[in-house]
Amino acid sequence: MALAVACPLLLDAAPSPGRALGLVGIALAMLAVSLRCCAFRSIGLLVLLAGLSCVTLEQALSQRIDDRREVQKITGVVSGLPEWRGATLRFHLRGEHGSWGAGERRLEVRWFEAREAPRPGEVWRFDLALSAVRGRVNFLGHDAERFALARGIHGVGRVRGDGAQRLRDPGGAGLPLPGFPSGRLAVRERLDDELDGLPGAGLVRALAIGDRSGLTDELRTVLQGTGTGHLLAISGLHVGLVALFAAGLARAVLALTPWRGHAWPARRIAPLLGLLAAVIYAGLAGFDTSPRRALVMLAVWILALVMHRQAGAWRGWWLALVLVLLLDPLAPLSPGFWLSFGAVAVLFLAFLGTRPAPRGLRGLVVAQTALLPGMLALGVGWFATVNFGGWFVNLLAIPWVSIVT
């Protein structure tokens, strides 16, 4: 499957080191198939994925907008959730027409004192002053250019004049949007109506749909200082809880039907309905790296359960890694990629092979103790922060978030 997806992309790419690396991976993978050698197959697959990521990065760098600040009339489709930062409205725009690329490039539009907020899926025409993404070049801390590349942002457009015009409502864009942005916006608006004026409204939005735009600077500082920011990222904890709740509810409903005397509906239909609920929830969260990884691993486990097959934990981890990189070769540019897969790998090393496996409070203590050194190293590398108190805080916060969500 990886060869089928990656080969056309690599063969069509311009000559480059990334393309050469990917072709070497293809050769090793084909050699592994002919020799039936698992070692060659794994190495070839890793080299192939590394080459695919390099080619995608080279293409993304070549598509970035030059810092000329020229004004162009751009027509595009609004994607993602609009976000207010002070008096400026920010949202993403995927091009339909314009010299900066149709459907291939995406802008972060900044509209000062916007007269209305565009909705996801709507088609708008703007007079935009285009510029490159710029940020601090410190060795540690937030890297705006890398962050933009990871999210597929190729430039910044600032609205000029009063020529902004909505051309079409959602549904006529003709371009697929990641996740369910219209549904996310509807849920956010409903939460804002219900929680208007309450101090925890932004926190509820973050836990419900992964939208952190409502978090105050003070709360962000507290989350970073206590090491609990990961609890607001829609990850395996949240996706698994949704799937478990939906599957349990499905089993309870099936127990009231004429099929209650048969075992197969509860064993097959209920887990599949749980997986469907997890897909919908991950879509409302925007299908970021963490929910994608959790969905793939959950799907492997549920399909193996339904088909009465054995699915190893590490096999699911590797399959999730491969699929995430095939879907988004630039995912390694995001700290969430390393934190997500790194945390799961550490937990596998801590719990697999341990008999009996620690449960309850003891299991939580073992998990937090195992995660401490790995997460500290990643925290220093990505955020230039060290937080030893997060070990104890997470012992209390993780069960609380599990109950609340």
Side-chain angles (χ1 to χ4, degrees):
M1 180 182 65
L3 289 174
V5 174
C7 282
L9 298 175
L10 292 173
L11 294 177
D12 291 341
S16 64
R19 182 174 183 264
L21 186 63
L23 294 177
V24 170
I26 293 175
L28 289 175
M30 295 179 66
L31 180 63
V33 172
S34 61
L35 297 178
R36 296 182 179 180
C37 177
C38 295
F40 268 120
R41 184 171 56 190
S42 301
I43 295 174
L45 182 58
L46 290 176
V47 175
L48 171 62
L49 293 174
L52 180 61
S53 296
C54 290
V55 166
T56 306
L57 179 60
E58 292 162 357
Q59 293 175 347
L61 290 173
S62 66
Q63 292 176 344
R64 291 192 301 179
I65 293 175
D66 297 332
D67 198 8
R68 293 176 292 182
R69 298 187 182 276
E70 57 183 4
V71 178
Q72 295 188 23
K73 191 174 291 293
I74 301 295
T75 301
V77 184
V78 178
S79 64
L81 294 178
E83 176 184 345
W84 285 98
R85 295 190 182 179
T88 302
L89 179 67
R90 298 190 180 193
F91 55 91
H92 295 164
L93 190 74
R94 296 181 59 178
E96 267 202 339
H97 304 288
S99 61
W100 57 283
E104 298 177 357
R105 292 182 177 178
R106 189 163 60 159
L107 294 173
E108 180 184 282
V109 177
R110 300 174 184 178
W111 191 356
F112 181 71
E113 293 184 348
R115 64 173 185 265
E116 63 176 303
R119 304 179 69 86
E122 292 179 343
V123 179
W124 281 71
R125 179 182 292 130
F126 297 98
D127 292 330
L128 298 178
L130 303 181
S131 62
V133 178
R134 289 289 180 262
R136 296 183 178 90
V137 293
N138 297 332
F139 179 72
L140 297 175
H142 180 69
D143 188 331
E145 294 186 40
R146 182 180 61 203
F147 182 72
L149 282 175
R151 302 179 70 187
I153 304 298
H154 300 97
V156 176
R158 293 173 174 82
V159 178
R160 294 290 184 260
D162 299 325
Q165 180 183 5
R166 182 174 58 190
L167 303 181
R168 290 203 302 270
D169 292 331
L175 289 174
L177 300 178
F180 311 127
S182 298
R184 292 187 74 196
L185 183 60
V187 172
R188 188 176 78 173
E189 291 176 344
R190 180 63 182 271
L191 289 174
D192 289 342
D193 293 339
E194 297 292 336
L195 303 174
D196 185 26
L198 296 180
L203 188 61
V204 174
R205 276 168 46 181
L207 288 171
I209 58 174
D211 176 23
R212 300 191 180 192
S213 61
L215 299 180
T216 63
D217 293 337
E218 294 78 6
L219 182 56
R220 292 176 186 270
T221 302
V222 171
L223 292 173
Q224 182 176 358
T226 56
T228 53
H230 67 95
L231 296 176
L232 300 186
I234 305 301
S235 60
L237 173 65
H238 308 80
V239 173
L241 288 173
V242 169
L244 183 63
F245 175 79
L249 182 62
R251 287 178 67 97
V253 173
L254 289 172
L256 304 176
T257 66
W259 292 341
R260 59 182 179 274
H262 302 274
W264 68 267
R267 292 180 179 177
R268 298 191 178 185
I269 296 180
L272 292 176
L273 291 176
L275 178 61
L276 177 61
V279 171
I280 295 174
Y281 180 64
L284 291 176
F287 278 128
D288 289 332
T289 299
S290 294
R292 281 203 301 265
R293 186 267 309 161
L295 269 181
V296 172
M297 300 187 73
L298 181 66
V300 170
W301 180 76
I302 288 180
L303 292 177
L305 180 66
V306 170
M307 299 172 65
H308 300 285
R309 301 288 184 88
Q310 292 291 332
W314 284 110
R315 178 176 297 180
W317 187 88
W318 279 108
L319 180 58
L321 178 67
V322 170
L323 290 179
V324 167
L325 289 176
L326 287 177
L327 293 172
D328 183 11
L330 297 182
L333 293 177
S334 170
F337 173 84
W338 301 95
L339 293 172
S340 176
F341 283 97
V344 174
V346 169
L347 292 177
F348 282 172
L349 292 173
F351 285 89
L352 294 182
T354 304
R355 296 290 184 273
R359 298 176 179 273
L361 180 59
R362 179 170 174 264
L364 184 60
V365 172
V366 171
Q368 290 301 311
T369 304
L371 288 171
L372 181 62
M375 295 303 101
L376 280 178
L378 290 174
V380 171
W382 282 98
F383 310 112
T385 59
V386 177
N387 181 16
F388 293 99
W391 181 89
F392 176 75
V393 175
N394 278 279
L395 287 180
L396 304 176
I398 290 178
W400 179 82
V401 171
S402 302
I403 295 173
V404 171
T405 54

